[in-house]
Amino acid sequence: VAHQQSWHGVMALDHLLGFPIPSLLDKAISARSGVLNVLIARRNSWHGRVLLNLDQLVGSCASSNASTWRLRCTARSLGEMPLVQVVRLMRRTDVFVSMHGADLINGMHMLPGRAVLEIVNHGLHLANDQPPWYFLNCFWMHFTPTFVHKRLILPNPFQNRVPSVSEAWNRDSELPLDLFHDALKSVILRDDRNQLLGVPKHNLTRIEYIGYCAVTSTEGDCQHGNSGYWSKPRAMDECVSACRACDRCNFVSFSFAHKDCSWYHNCSLDKLVVYDNEG
């Protein structure tokens, strides 16, 4: 059972609890235009996976400049609530935010078109459903296409290595405010980004790939922009140094042939553009 079949199964359960079955034709991102009700799962478990800055995330919504939308953010411990209360709460939720794990399945009780932000510890995203981690993509399979599903990959907490999958699984972490609000804007804009990567400046690591993220045409805005290019850097090291000085830069691509240093705030590393004749 996957995709819309999963949603129909959950709606049948909700109907037994006295809730009406909504239509899949209802694909609005929120119930009230201009207001986004954001629910963040509060995890209380000895296993870990606790959001250490949860209260900060909730408080940041009051001052957010996420487009023209007003954010209403709350945090609840869903595992301590009766199922009827969970369903009632989820049906009033527009965006559900949770660390990876079983809490995410509560998002299936939302109305069609709403969004789920799955927070993933850095390192765990590299498991690629290999044993014994077959379940890592199960939430994507259940949520889409009924809901918007976006995976937020937390910054690497180490400077010189990538954590193993097993140590990343239950690690307590913080969700950077810029990554959180960038994801909410992505939901509001309904863009096609399904994976957002957070990279703190002090932990910016150099991992090289062949290709580039997207075409850039202007220098861009290091305070508010999403991409741009610099013509002064003449080597990769200079390009990386320029990125470190740019608040919005998390990724760079450098062309030796064109002496072009392009920067990006977000980049899908599995969808890089590659040209054989590129230097």
Side-chain angles (χ1 to χ4, degrees), residues 23-278:
S23 170
L24 277 174
L25 297 178
D26 177 16
K27 298 291 287 186
I29 200 68
S30 73
R32 180 179 173 187
S33 179
V35 178
L36 212 61
N37 291 309
V38 181
L39 174 64
I40 309 175
R42 184 184 295 276
R43 181 176 172 84
N44 299 315
S45 173
W46 62 269
H47 289 294
R49 274 175 283 149
V50 175
L51 272 177
L52 300 174
N53 64 331
L54 180 58
D55 293 337
Q56 182 189 32
L57 293 170
V58 173
S60 71
C61 294
S63 58
S64 170
N65 61 347
S67 184
T68 58
W69 288 65
R70 185 156 53 95
L71 302 179
R72 291 177 177 172
C73 297
T74 57
R76 299 291 297 272
S77 181
L78 302 179
E80 300 175 357
M81 298 170 57
L83 181 57
V84 171
Q85 291 185 17
V86 171
V87 176
R88 187 176 296 116
L89 177 62
M90 297 310 300
R91 290 202 170 201
R92 298 196 300 264
T93 298
D94 301 318
V95 181
F96 180 47
V97 185
S98 174
M99 288 289 287
H100 55 84
D103 257 344
L104 278 165
I105 205 63
N106 290 299
M108 293 295 295
H109 299 290
M110 292 192 298
L111 298 177
R114 278 35 174 189
V116 176
L117 303 182
E118 179 182 8
I119 306 170
V120 178
N121 276 326
H122 199 97
L124 186 66
H125 67 297
L126 301 176
N128 294 322
D129 274 354
Q130 297 300 310
W133 312 100
Y134 291 114
F135 58 87
L136 290 181
N137 281 330
C138 70
F139 297 108
W140 168 81
M141 290 190 296
H142 290 312
F143 284 125
T144 59
T146 309
F147 305 101
V148 175
H149 174 266
K150 295 180 184 291
R151 181 172 289 177
L152 312 187
I153 302 173
L154 295 180
N156 187 350
F158 304 109
Q159 288 186 308
N160 301 316
R161 67 181 182 90
V162 175
S164 67
V165 175
S166 58
E167 68 177 319
W169 168 240
N170 279 325
R171 188 175 60 244
D172 296 340
S173 301
E174 291 189 3
L175 173 60
L177 292 181
D178 61 343
L179 180 58
F180 174 51
H181 288 283
D182 190 28
L184 293 176
K185 290 179 182 179
S186 178
V187 168
I188 293 171
L189 295 174
R190 290 182 175 271
D191 61 31
D192 59 358
R193 290 184 293 164
N194 54 25
Q195 183 164 285
L196 293 85
L197 178 65
V199 182
K201 291 302 169 187
H202 65 279
N203 276 347
L204 188 64
T205 57
R206 179 167 167 177
I207 304 175
E208 296 185 2
Y209 296 81
I210 297 176
Y212 61 93
C213 306
V215 173
T216 55
S217 57
T218 65
E219 184 172 328
D221 183 351
C222 282
Q223 297 298 318
H224 307 286
N226 291 316
S227 65
Y229 76 89
W230 299 297
S231 58
K232 289 185 177 180
R234 289 294 183 264
M236 176 60 83
D237 288 342
E238 295 179 17
C239 188
V240 172
S241 295
C243 178
R244 291 182 184 275
C246 177
D247 289 343
R248 295 284 291 175
C249 176
N250 290 328
F251 304 88
V252 294
S253 63
F254 182 75
S255 168
F256 289 97
H258 299 141
K259 296 297 185 290
D260 173 82
C261 171
S262 293
W263 66 268
Y264 312 89
H265 182 64
N266 294 290
C267 182
S268 297
L269 297 179
D270 58 341
K271 298 179 180 179
L272 294 177
V273 182
V274 179
Y275 286 121
D276 293 336
N277 62 348
E278 183 71 13

